[in-house]
Amino acid sequence: MYIKNQFVQNKLVVHLMEKEQFELLSLSTKQEEYLLWKSNKRKTDIVRVSLKQYDWKRDLSNSVENIEKQAIQKIKLPLFQNHIAFHHIFITDYEPVDSWESLADSSGHTNKIDKSYVYVYGENTEEIDHFFERSNIAGSLDFEVPDNILELEYQTELLKQRINQLHKEAHKEIQAIFNRGKPRLSYLLIALNVIIFFLLEYAGGSTNPEVLIEYGAKYNIAMLEGEWWRVITSMFLHIGFLHLALNMLALYFIGTLVERIYGNVRFLVIYFLAGIAGGMASFALNPSIAAGASGALFGLFGALLFFGIKYPRVFFKTMGLNVIFIVILNIVFGFSVQQIDNGAHIGGLIAGFIASGIVMLPKNKAYMQQLIASVVYLFYVLGVFAYGISNDEVQFNETLQLQRIQELLSHQEYNEIKVIVSESLPYADDFSAELLFYRSFANIHQESFDLAQEDLEKAVSQKPDFEEAWYNLALIYQQTENYPKALSAVEQLIELNSEKEEYNTLYNEIQKTAP
């Protein structure tokens, strides 16, 4: 009897949705067929519960194959699924005429589906029990079919309404997840970043290193002297309009999404904790002046990945693969382009994930996990800090130290310059000649001409076209009355740049004073 089959069908679907947390993917207009799925512990079960009658095995087989191909296109499966099983449950009055048992347990009809099962619930009422066993559902479906036809129709209609209600509630629950906070703070952060950018431009340019340092960019030398607040201020500075535009675009799309999921306060905590950790990672791994909200923005990606662990079904159904693709693409791009501060990106990504564990998602209370996440974050930041302090290759980077020496020259701090050069030379690759030149310059001002001569001779041997070093070396040779070497040094200068009058004047002067 068809109405009885409807009752059994809807009873099973309600049980799967209420008791086993299956999600309804689709239902036919007359609720003649339902498609549900559930993913758990890297195993996914897709269930089709149908009232359609197939008289022949061939028709049944074609239906199974077509539905599997259609369904697999609809479902955004979580990554790394080990086993995907498709269960076709047909609740009918009689089985196909010819033998169909070979379809009961076979390989899937797409490369994503491992197993395909067919159950024909008619005379054999044990088929649903077989389905429960294969899909690891505990217990069984116990029910009694009403004898009265009117009662049967009434109960069937109630079950249909219940299915629709559960489906709507599930949809509302997903909508509620993405509406836990209005993205006011994201817009405020965008406004602050834009305002500060134009202040930098007015002060002398957002690409001017001196302006960036003055306004709080990440500058390792200043941080080592105690200005650790730069890990926060650097989050609001951007180097050039393109840098600002890309980051604000990301904050508009990703920031507003995270703020809607986590709520305003949680979003702000994640943003700043990720930004601070990203700044510390940049300090530890990148010697250059750096600025930007990238560390905090990657922290928001970390927050989305954390959300994906807590709500894998919703995550992969909505944005999961896109988020993972963007994160991987940015990390690969960061390693490919030297100017990108990949340390800040990865540091912020990790910190954002941990920070999400600290604040936890709304309506998710896990105090012990939050405490553990807080301890992990603290050790993470302190560990990055300790590594950065001891990472001499970064902290004594030649480019960074040359910048520092320029500042010290303006204050005539020659002893400090000599100390910096001595500490930086073991890590110098491209600018060791320049470092030697500056140390010689400091020794000249302190009248240590022998030391200055030694450094300049090393500098010109490493960089034969170093005009400034040859010039100072010629002056020292002249000062110490070593005229042959003085003339040789000036001749080298003239060979490098014969048009410079200063070199010819010095050559004539040495010739006149030489014995």
Side-chain angles (χ1 to χ4, degrees), residues 226-249:
E227 296 181 5
W228 297 103
W229 44 265
R230 289 178 178 270
V231 297
I232 296 177
T233 55
S234 62
M235 293 164 55
F236 295 91
L237 309 180
H238 289 84
I239 304 171
F241 181 76
L242 181 61
H243 188 205
L244 173 76
L246 290 174
N247 276 358
M248 293 307 98
L249 195 64

Side-chain angles (χ1 to χ4, degrees), residues 273-337:
L273 289 182
I276 290 168
M280 291 304 303
S282 178
F283 164 78
L285 301 171
N286 177 21
S288 304
I289 296 170
S294 301
L297 290 172
F298 266 78
L300 300 182
F301 280 113
L304 292 178
L305 294 176
F306 183 85
F307 168 75
I309 290 177
K310 291 295 182 181
Y311 294 93
R313 186 182 301 176
V314 177
F315 179 70
F316 285 100
K317 186 178 180 180
T318 54
M319 60 185 152
L321 293 177
N322 292 332
V323 170
I324 293 170
F325 173 76
I326 292 171
V327 169
I328 294 173
L329 179 66
N330 275 278
I331 291 174
V332 171
F333 186 67
F335 280 114
S336 305
V337 180

